[in-house]
Amino acid sequence: MNDRTAAAPAPTTPLAWSNRFATLGSAFFTELGATGMPDPHWVAWSDDCAALLGWGPDWRETGHAKGHAPPLQVFSGNALWPGMQPLASVYSGHQFGVWAGQLGDGRALWLGELDTPSGPLEIQLKGAGLTPYSRMGDGRAVLRSSIREFLCSEAMHHLGIPTTRALCVTGSRLPVRRERIETAAVATRVAPSFIRFGHFEHFAHHGKPTELAQLADFVIDRFYPECRDEPAPVLALLQAVTERTARLMAQWQAVGFCHGVMNTDNMSILGLTIDYGPFGFLDGFDPRHICNHSDDRGRYAFAAQPQVAWWNLHALAQALAPLVDNNVDGLQAALAPYPEAFSQAMTGVMRAKLGLAEARDDDAALIDSWLQLLAIEKTDFTIAHRRLCDFSTAPDAANGGLRDLFIDRTAFDAWAVRYAGRLAGENSQDAARALQMRLVNPKYVLRNHLAQTAIDRAETGDFSEVMRLLKVLSRPFDEQPEHEADAAFPPDWAQHLEVSCSS
Ligand code: AMP
Ligand code: MG
C-alpha cells in the first residue's frame, strides 16, 4: 500500500469533478499520486464538512462511486476515485520576514475540485507522501498535528471565522520521526481554493509574468469577479484581499487566536485561516504571547498579527507589481485601506463582544481600557468575556463572578462604573444584552490543554475524545452543562505545553 496510487480509471463517478486549478498548466504544479499509509484507520471525521460537499452521514461507509475505492483508502492516500487529478502545487514565500525561495506543497496533495451544493470546493490531503517540493521533509504529518489541524479548522468555522475546513483524519502505525518517533496521519482539507500569497510571489520572483497574469486572472474570475469590471482589476483584487485580510485579523484578535506561523506562504488569497501548525488560543490575556515555541523573537506574537498581515500584504503587492507596470502609487492606494479596515472591524466585533448596540466615538477607548484591564493580570480571555455577558447594571450589583477574576478589585470597579455608564447611555437592558453577547463571546475554544488531552488519548488508540471535543466545539456559543469542564480555567500543566513548528 505504500506505492504511489495509480492514475484514475475512466471517470464513471457520480461526483462532479471540475478540477479547474489543474487547467492552469504545468508551471503551477506537478501531477503525481499519493504515497499511502499501510492498514489505515479512521481517527476523526466531520459530518458537517461532509454535508458541505453534499454527502450524507453515511459517507464513510458508502463512498461516492459504487464499485470504487472505500473512502478510508482514498483519504489515506491509498486509492483514488475516478475524476480525481492529484497534484502538488508550487509556491514560494517569505518565512519569518526573509525570502525563503521555492516552497510548495511539500506534503499536501490536491485531489481535485468538486461542484457541490455549496459551490466549487477543492479537496486536499495533508501528509500523503513526498512531492517534488518536499525539500528536506518526509512528506508526512503526524497524528498529533493532524488532530490539532482537524479540530481547529472545524472549531474556527463554528466560531464564524473564515477557514479551510477539515473532512477527516486517518491514521496508521507507520512510524514518522520527529523529536521522537510518532505515527503517520493524513488530514483531508476542504476549501474553495488553497492559493496563497506565496503562489503569486513565486511567479513574480522567478520572472514569469505570463503565469503571474494567468494566476491573477484565475483568482479574479473565480473568487473576486466584481474586480473584473474595475479600471485596474489587479489593483482591485489587491484591495479586496487587503480588506478581507483586515477583517480576518480582527476576528482572530477578538477570539484570542494566535496563528503562530504567519509566513506569506501561509496566507490565503481568499482571506481564510490556513495551515494550522503551532497555533494557540490565549488562556490568560497576554498581548505578547508567542504560541510558536520556534519563534524566539516573537515576530508572530499575538498582538503583532494585524501588523504582520499588513506586511504580508505588502509582499503580495510587490508580487503583483509587474501586472500593473510597477504602478507603486496604485499598489500603495490598494493597501492603504488596511489600518482603517482593521480598526473598524476590530471596533465592530469588540463592540458586539461588550454588548454595545450603538456606536459612540469613545468606544475604542472603552474597549482599550477593558483589554488593558485584562492584560495587567493576564486574566483569562475567554472566561472574562463570557462572564461579562452576565454583567448587571443594577446600582447595587456586585458582578461577583466577573469581579472575582481580578486581584485588583479597585481597577475592576472603576472600569465597571465606566462600562455601566456607557450601557445606561444607550438604555441597554441586561437580559436582552446578555443573550446577544452570548452569541459572540464563545464559551468553548480549543485551548491547548484540551487538544493535548485528546491527542494523548489518541496516541493510545482511543479517538473518542477527539470526536467528543469536535462536538463541543461545534456549538461554541451554547451552554453545554455536561461539558462545563471544557470551559474551565486551564490546569497548571497547560502552562508548560510547548508547541513548535514540528508537525
Ligand atoms: P509550514 O510552515 O508548515 O506551512 O511549511 C512550510 C513548507 O514546508 C511548506 O512548503 C510545506 O509543504 C513544507 N513542509 C512542512 N513539513 C513538511 C514535511 N514533513 N515534509 C515535506 N514538506 C514539509
Ligand atoms: Mg504552510
Side-chain angles (χ1 to χ4, degrees), residues 91 95 103-108 126 129-130 133-141 178 196 261 263 265-266 275 277 501 503:
Y91 53 80
Q95 297 186 321
L103 304 164
D105 294 329
R107 54 176 170 168
K126 184 168 175 179
L130 291 171
Y133 316 111
S134 300
R135 298 180 297 154
M136 309 297 282
D138 57 6
R140 291 296 181 186
R178 294 293 179 261
R196 300 138 192 274
V261 206
N263 295 333
D265 52 300
N266 291 338
D275 280 14
C501 274
S503 60

Side-chain angles (χ1 to χ4, degrees), residues 377 400 402-415:
E377 295 173 17
L402 178 62
R403 192 170 184 262
D404 285 350
L405 294 175
F406 302 91
I407 300 166
D408 185 350
R409 305 281 160 93
T410 319
F412 171 75
D413 290 342
W415 187 82

Side-chain angles (χ1 to χ4, degrees), residues 60-82:
R60 289 182 308 125
E61 284 85 48
T62 58
H64 294 280
K66 296 247 179 310
H68 296 294
L72 175 60
Q73 298 301 333
V74 171
F75 298 118
S76 301
N78 289 332
L80 293 170
W81 285 330

Side-chain angles (χ1 to χ4, degrees), residues 192-276:
S193 171
F194 294 93
I195 295 176
R196 300 138 192 274
F197 290 9
H199 280 96
F200 290 89
E201 290 179 278
H202 180 76
F203 296 108
H205 183 85
H206 292 93
K208 295 186 172 170
T210 310
E211 287 81 1
L212 184 64
Q214 204 188 337
L215 185 64
D217 282 338
F218 182 80
V219 168
I220 291 171
D221 290 340
R222 297 216 39 212
F223 305 110
Y224 294 90
E226 66 283 0
C227 296
R228 181 57 69 204
D229 306 325
E230 296 294 324
V234 170
L235 294 179
L237 169 68
L238 179 62
Q239 182 164 338
V241 177
T242 297
E243 285 163 359
R244 271 200 206 183
T245 305
R247 286 196 296 272
L248 180 70
M249 289 307 112
Q251 287 183 284
W252 284 6
Q253 300 308 105
V255 80
F257 175 77
C258 200
H259 182 282
V261 206
M262 290 179 65
N263 295 333
T264 56
D265 52 300
N266 291 338
M267 296 291 293
S268 153
I269 200 70
L270 301 188
L272 307 173
T273 314
I274 191 170
D275 280 14
Y276 294 89

Side-chain angles (χ1 to χ4, degrees), residues 6 93 113 156 167 211 220 254 265 287 383 389 396 440-441 476:
E113 178 196 32
M156 290 291 265
L167 177 66
E211 287 81 1
I220 291 171
D265 52 300
I383 292 177
C389 302
D396 56 345
V440 288
N441 289 300

Side-chain angles (χ1 to χ4, degrees), residues 283 449 490-498:
D283 292 317
H449 76 277
D492 283 344
W493 61 264
Q495 286 176 16
H496 310 296
L497 279 175
E498 282 177 356

